[in-house]
């Protein structure tokens, strides 16, 4: 089955700096890669996603890049703000009848003033 | 509704009791997923529904866990004879269809077994 590894587990940046979170996946058949943000006491919120036919996608301060050959994808947050502080999860969806998401173990991002 | 709704938001139960957790998906979403999140951990897949049927139950930890979905909408996750290791946040998500389309999560049910 699919295995997703995520690094780093914790990340502290100063407000205004950029943050990068990286994930690798094992199943070359995976074709959908979402990123979720989870704030304390809340469910994961989808913030951006990318499909395997695209190499990069941007949405304001957030961007995701995908390298299918290397089987890794990354989340980039620019001009970080205190409200970006949360736990971020990457995920991958293997093709097949289930299309269930396999999640990374999460990155706790702390944006300091 | 506007989003995925789960109830109760918190549940404390005694070891050995049965519990039922409810999920109301986004209206019109045909796919529904249950995940479990243990303290400080990532999300662990439990079961997936397409309509009322469950093509993938591979994540259910034991035969104490079961789930059903009726009318292609509401789903119930039942845990029988709860154990302390069942304590976790149980998250439900729904998507318009299962083929890589965006899944939206509810706020979860925090289950504590004492």
């Amino acid at each position: 089955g699919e295995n997703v590894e995520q690094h780093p587990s914790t990340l502290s940046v100063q407000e205004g700096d950029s943050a990068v979170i990286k994930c690798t996946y094992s199943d070359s058949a995976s074709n959908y890669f979402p990123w979720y943000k989870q704030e304390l006491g809340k469910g994961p919120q989808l913030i951006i996603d990318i499909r395997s036919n695209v190499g990069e996608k941007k949405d304001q301060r957030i961007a995701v890049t995908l390298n299918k050959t290397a089987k890794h994808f990354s989340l980039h947050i620019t001009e970080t703000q205190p409200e970006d502080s949360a736990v971020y999860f990457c995920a991958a969806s293997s093709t097949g009848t289930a299309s269930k998401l396999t999640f990374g173990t999460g990155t706790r991002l702390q944006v300091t003033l | 509704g506007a989003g995925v709704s789960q109830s109760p938001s918190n549940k404390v139960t005694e070891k050995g009791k049965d519990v039922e957790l409810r999920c109301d998906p986004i209206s019109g979403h045909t796919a529904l997923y249950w995940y479990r999140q243990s303290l400080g951990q990532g999300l662990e897949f439990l079961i997936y529904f397409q309509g009322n049927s469950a093509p993938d139950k591979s994540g259910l930890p034991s035969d104490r866990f079961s789930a059903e979905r009726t009318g292609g909408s509401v789903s119930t996750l039942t845990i029988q004879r709860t154990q302390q290791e069942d304590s976790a946040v149980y998250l439900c998500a729904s998507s318009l269809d299962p083929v890589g389309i965006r899944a939206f999560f509810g706020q979860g049910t925090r289950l504590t077994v004492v």
Side-chain angles (χ1 to χ4, degrees), chain A residues 42-57:
Chain A
K42 297 185 178 180
Q45 175 192 4
L46 179 67
I47 57 172
I48 195 167
D49 54 10
I50 192 168
R51 299 180 190 278
S52 58
N53 59 347
V54 175
E56 184 176 1
K57 184 177 179 180

Side-chain angles (χ1 to χ4, degrees), chain B residues 74-87:
Chain B
V74 172
S75 177
T76 302
L77 177 69
T78 301
I79 309 173
Q80 296 179 309
R81 306 181 302 282
T82 52
Q83 303 295 314
Q84 288 188 329
E85 60 263 29
D86 299 335
S87 297

Side-chain angles (χ1 to χ4, degrees), chain A residues 3-75:
Chain A
N3 182 51
V4 177
E5 295 190 356
Q6 183 171 348
H7 301 281
S9 57
T10 60
L11 179 60
S12 182
V13 299
Q14 285 197 324
E15 183 179 8
D17 287 349
S18 295
V20 180
I21 302 170
K22 299 181 179 182
C23 289
T24 60
Y25 61 98
S26 61
D27 188 348
S28 57
S30 289
N31 60 0
Y32 176 65
F33 308 91
W35 286 88
Y36 287 85
K37 174 184 180 183
Q38 188 174 29
E39 297 174 317
L40 195 62
K42 297 185 178 180
Q45 175 192 4
L46 179 67
I47 57 172
I48 195 167
D49 54 10
I50 192 168
R51 299 180 190 278
S52 58
N53 59 347
V54 175
E56 184 176 1
K57 184 177 179 180
K58 289 184 179 179
D59 183 3
Q60 300 183 338
R61 297 185 298 108
I62 294 174
V64 58
T65 58
L66 171 65
N67 183 326
K68 285 185 62 181
T69 302
K71 290 190 284 188
H72 67 69
F73 56 113
S74 301
L75 178 71

Side-chain angles (χ1 to χ4, degrees), chain B residues 4 10 19 24 26 29 34 39 45 48 63 78 80 82 94 96 103 106 114:
Chain B
V4 178
N10 281 285
V19 295
D24 280 281
I26 294 172
H29 279 196
W34 284 97
L39 186 63
F45 169 80
Y48 148 66
D63 58 8
T78 301
Q80 296 179 309
T82 52
S94 70
L96 196 56
V114 298

